[in-house]
Amino acid sequence: MARYLVTGVAGFIGRSIAAALLARGEGVRGVDNFLTGKRVNLVGLEAMEFMEGDLSDPAACARACAGVEIVFHEAALASVPRSVADPVGTNVNCVDATLNLLVAARAAGVRRVVYAGSSSVYGDAPTLPKHEEMLPNPISPYAVAKLAGEHYTRAFARVYGLETVVLRYFNVFGPYQDPTSHYSGVLAIFCRKMLAGEQPTIYGDGEQSRDFTYIDNVVHANLLAAAAPAEKVSGQMMNTAMGTRITLNETFEILRELTGFSGKPAYAEGRAGDIRDSLADIRLAGELLGYAPIAGFREGLRRTVEWYRTGGGVE
Ligand code: UD1
């Protein structure tokens, strides 16, 4: 019997959470519509009950939630530029899907939903680090959609008593992140290109910074969020990050060492909807979950490069 449901399980973060649960001997169901998830990411998850389904379909949500106690909701269209190109698609797959899932979770008697939030909701406010009491200021359709999902999730705690925890992820990277799409995360793209000897492109001057968060830390935070006492965490929202930031130019230099790439990056015009700097205050997750990063940025980047070097991410 599946005690846990992971949505977006064929995506990089969902896959990683499911693998950690299976390693603990838990019963897991996973759902994905393969819009951006990859079948190859399910390799190694054979002990999981897999269901192909689209969360914009309420019936699929009902099937996915049946009999489950805890949901990790990772399914989304995770890209700022994709949302600029297709705001309606982002809304359907981030907002409608989340609301349908919450309705189904409540109807099925799910105890807790852990929601994958996004640091993009902080937008362009210059204050660093970003802390949870700051007013959200979404500047892309994607950020609006992730914020709407966050509010729906918290409202379900308030009005229906569903236990919910929102984790605002900051630029997650690591093995299993798809490097092949134009909409992929920057580190996945850079790893693939630089290992292949291809020149990566930096949008803008490369001085934008991110709190790049290695996947093991995100999995760790999710497992803590699932286990924490409801009176402490339910209805809460908290940053999930390393609590350090690095510019793209600096990251490129580290990747040069790790990949052996000898060229320079190409520079192109900055991307619409991009935020400039991002850095998390991670004290709240520390207080509420006992969260602290368990794997550092450089070590995470080294493991990530090795994963792509040995053929990861290629179907
Ligand atoms: C990322 C996530 C988003 C998450 C958010 C906050 C992805 C695809 N997006 O958005 O889901 O909610 O963090 O945690 O993981 N860039 C380049 N060259 C490239 C690609 C990107 O210079 O080839 C630049 C972008 O212009 C941007 C930075 O790298 O300035 C990061 O871009 P990206 O990895 O897409 O992440 P975010 O937009 O920050």
Side-chain angles (χ1 to χ4, degrees):
M1 265 296 279
R3 179 177 174 214
Y4 294 92
L5 170 69
V6 181
T7 72
V9 77
F12 143 64
I13 300 176
R15 195 264 169 226
S16 305
I17 293 171
L21 291 168
L22 292 174
R24 293 198 325 194
E26 303 286 1
V28 183
R29 180 181 299 146
V31 61
D32 207 292
N33 61 0
F34 296 115
L35 194 55
T36 53
K38 306 273 180 220
R39 284 182 196 275
V40 70
N41 284 349
L42 301 179
V43 173
L45 304 182
E46 289 75 15
M48 175 181 80
E49 178 195 333
F50 177 70
M51 200 192 109
E52 184 165 349
D54 193 316
L55 303 183
S56 63
D57 170 13
C61 290
R63 283 202 309 281
C65 288
V68 160
E69 184 187 344
I70 295 178
V71 175
F72 295 97
H73 180 35
E74 312 305 307
L77 267 181
S79 165
V80 170
R82 187 193 289 269
S83 79
V84 174
D86 178 18
V88 174
T90 293
N91 194 78
V92 168
N93 289 286
C94 295
V95 185
D96 295 353
T98 297
L99 181 55
N100 287 339
L101 181 75
L102 289 165
V103 169
R106 176 178 175 238
V110 166
R111 182 166 62 82
R112 181 171 299 187
V113 174
V114 182
Y115 173 82
S118 168
S119 64
S120 59
V121 304
Y122 289 112
D124 237 358
T127 314
L128 293 177
K130 310 290 186 196
H131 60 83
E132 294 83 352
E133 277 169 20
M134 287 170 63
L135 271 187
N137 179 31
I139 61 168
S140 67
Y142 172 72
V144 172
K146 290 306 290 184
L147 182 61
E150 188 179 290
H151 282 314
Y152 270 129
T153 302
R154 299 179 75 197
F156 269 62
R158 284 294 286 265
V159 301
Y160 302 122
L162 184 70
E163 294 177 16
T164 69
V165 185
V166 170
L167 301 177
R168 282 185 179 167
Y169 302 161
F170 282 64
N171 291 76
V172 189
F173 73 98
Y176 296 96
Q177 189 170 29
D178 176 20
T180 59
S181 160
H182 171 61
Y183 295 127
S184 295
V186 65
L187 297 188
I189 294 175
F190 279 20
C191 285
R192 183 185 69 79
K193 287 203 165 175
M194 292 168 79
L195 283 167
E198 293 170 25
Q199 184 180 41
T201 300
I202 290 181
Y203 300 119
D205 62 5
E207 288 304 302
Q208 67 265 51
S209 61
R210 292 290 184 273
D211 192 333
F212 286 114
T213 306
Y214 185 58
I215 181 68
D216 285 12
N217 300 307
V218 172
V219 171
H220 179 53
N222 273 278
L223 298 182
L224 291 171
E231 55 281 12
K232 208 161 180 193
V233 298
S234 186
Q236 300 282 353
M237 158 270 284
M238 65 207 81
N239 294 338
T240 301
M242 307 291 268
T244 55
R245 74 185 167 111
I246 182 162
T247 67
L248 270 190
N249 287 329
E250 288 166 332
T251 307
F252 171 81
E253 287 306 323
I254 299 173
L255 278 174
R256 240 158 55 129
E257 284 168 35
L258 292 173
T259 61
F261 179 77
S262 55
K264 291 192 177 324
Y267 286 88
E269 200 182 325
R271 249 172 27 179
D274 250 18
I275 58 167
R276 180 73 179 169
D277 295 306
S278 181
L279 170 68
D281 183 328
I282 56 172
R283 284 176 300 178
L284 186 60
E287 279 164 34
L288 297 178
L289 301 180
Y291 167 81
I294 54 170
F297 172 71
R298 271 179 189 257
E299 175 56 17
L301 203 51
R302 194 191 61 74
R303 289 189 217 163
T304 305
V305 168
E306 286 319 303
W307 189 78
Y308 290 115
R309 195 197 298 281
T310 51
V314 178
E315 276 191 88

